[in-house]
Amino acid sequence: MSRSPRPDPSATAATAVESVTGARDRFRESLREHLSSAVSEFTAATALIVLFVALSLASPHFLTADNLFNIGSQTAVIAIIAVAQTMIIITKGIDLSVGAVAALAGVVGAIVVRDLGFTVWEATAVAVGVGASAGLVNGLLIAGARLPPFIATLGMMSAGRGLVFIITGAVGVYSLPESFQLLGNGEIAGVPFAVAVTAAVALGSAFLLSQTRFGQYVYAMGSNMEAARRSGIAVRRHLTAVYVLAGALVGLGGMVAASRVNSGQPNYGIGLELDVIAAAVIGGASLFGGQGRIAGTLIGAFLIAVVRNGSVLLDISIHYQQVIVGLIIWAAVYFDQFRRRRLEARG
């Protein structure tokens, strides 16, 4: 009878050392990423506080209750859609279609209320479905057809904007019931309804990304797509799911925006992609993928909303506002590259 060979002690020890070393490297990488996110969030929060104080001194209207309510509602739209953009950026993608899809969802939501008698909540479900459908198309093009996210979502931006103008004839959707404003301008226990919706979206998304296996897959795909595929992650399915979920949030944000102005505007969302990308990157999401947190995105969204609001109060032209946002994006991306180089060097 032949004996099975006895395990080589040296080989077993080498395997154990290799396992410990791998675990230690993963811990260091995770620590570096958390530290990088914390630095970004702290920097963004500091900038927000400085801007808040400066605008309080520059304009007597900034700290009024009406203006703060307006900032909260304005932040809600940017924040909801920026959360969607953050999920996509974590996967090392980008979505340029968010403005067009938000406009399409808002217009469709307004039409079903005016022409079909839907309630605002039923219309919201329809708008979310419109956004999810657009996200599904994006996901299939990117994960299935292997198109670059930039190209796939650029095409969706053009198609979505065209559909909006076809549906509306380039005319806004008006004559809506007063109840249509509930989502964007209503209150619940003294808190703007839009802010409450934003809080629910943020908490749910943060839980999904940090406490679920799906969230782990999202970060893994952004860190190294090929390694995620080899580790057994169904990359195509999960990447498509990210775009569907993000699209649903964009649809919700578009409905909140339409509710704020009590109309469906075909021109809504032009340039919105810049604001939400800026909010995500300012908050610590890396365009290199694998990094980003919802808390940072909320800070970034609030910063962008305050910049927009303060510019209006100080009578700064919309064109200068675009320049300011562009400068913020440059600074945020440069800081992202700088912090990654520093942390990698220290690691």
Side-chain angles (χ1 to χ4, degrees), residues 4 46 108 150 204 316 328:
S4 58
T46 301
V108 171
F150 181 90
I316 297 175
I328 290 174

Side-chain angles (χ1 to χ4, degrees), residues 26-333:
R26 288 192 296 270
F27 173 76
R28 286 178 175 175
E29 181 65 24
S30 176
L31 185 61
R32 282 199 297 270
E33 290 179 357
H34 280 82
L35 179 59
S36 179
S37 296
V39 169
S40 294
E41 291 171 14
F42 176 77
T43 303
T46 301
L48 177 60
I49 292 170
V50 170
L51 181 62
F52 205 89
V53 172
L55 289 175
S56 300
L57 297 175
S59 172
H61 305 291
F62 182 74
L63 285 180
T64 61
D66 288 343
N67 188 60
L68 294 178
F69 186 97
N70 183 50
I71 291 175
S73 298
Q74 186 177 1
T75 301
V77 177
I78 297 176
I80 291 171
I81 301 178
V83 166
Q85 189 73 254
T86 299
M87 293 182 181
I88 292 173
I89 289 176
I90 290 173
T91 67
K92 208 174 183 177
I94 200 76
D95 189 350
L96 301 180
S97 67
V98 293
V101 173
L104 179 61
V107 162
V108 171
I111 289 175
V112 298
V113 168
R114 186 192 65 182
D115 297 343
L116 302 180
F118 281 31
T119 67
V120 66
W121 308 118
E122 292 168 339
T124 300
V126 171
V128 168
V130 169
S133 299
L136 177 61
V137 174
N138 282 336
L140 292 176
L141 289 173
I142 294 165
R146 302 290 181 88
L147 291 184
F150 181 90
I151 298 300
T153 59
L154 183 64
M156 178 57 71
M157 178 176 72
S158 180
R161 189 63 65 182
L163 282 173
V164 171
F165 287 116
I166 290 171
I167 291 171
T168 62
V171 177
V173 181
Y174 299 103
S175 302
L176 295 166
E178 187 176 347
S179 60
F180 187 77
Q181 301 182 56
L182 180 61
L183 187 61
N185 297 318
E187 296 184 14
I188 178 170
V191 177
F193 210 99
V195 174
V197 171
T198 304
V201 167
L203 290 173
S205 301
F207 178 83
L208 182 68
L209 289 175
S210 63
Q211 303 297 324
T212 68
R213 182 171 295 180
F214 177 77
Q216 294 174 359
Y217 291 167
V218 172
Y219 284 103
M221 290 187 295
S223 296
N224 191 320
M225 193 70 74
E226 186 58 31
R229 183 179 291 108
R230 291 182 178 181
S231 67
I233 297 174
V235 168
R236 292 187 181 184
R237 187 177 69 203
H238 287 95
L239 188 58
T240 301
V242 170
Y243 279 90
V244 171
L245 178 57
L249 292 179
V250 172
L252 175 61
M255 188 62 185
V256 173
S259 177
R260 284 190 66 212
V261 297
N262 200 32
S263 63
Q265 294 297 328
N267 287 318
Y268 175 75
I270 295 176
L272 180 63
E273 59 278 351
L274 295 180
D275 284 0
V276 298
I277 291 171
V281 175
I282 288 169
S286 174
L287 294 175
F288 298 98
Q291 186 174 326
R293 296 200 301 186
I294 301 302
T297 297
L298 293 181
I299 296 173
F302 200 76
L303 180 63
I304 294 297
V306 170
V307 167
R308 294 287 192 188
N309 180 265
S311 298
V312 171
L313 292 178
L314 298 178
D315 198 24
I316 297 175
S317 166
I318 182 66
H319 306 299
Y320 285 105
Q321 292 180 37
Q322 292 172 333
V323 172
I324 292 171
V325 172
L327 292 173
I328 290 174
I329 292 174
W330 280 344
V333 173

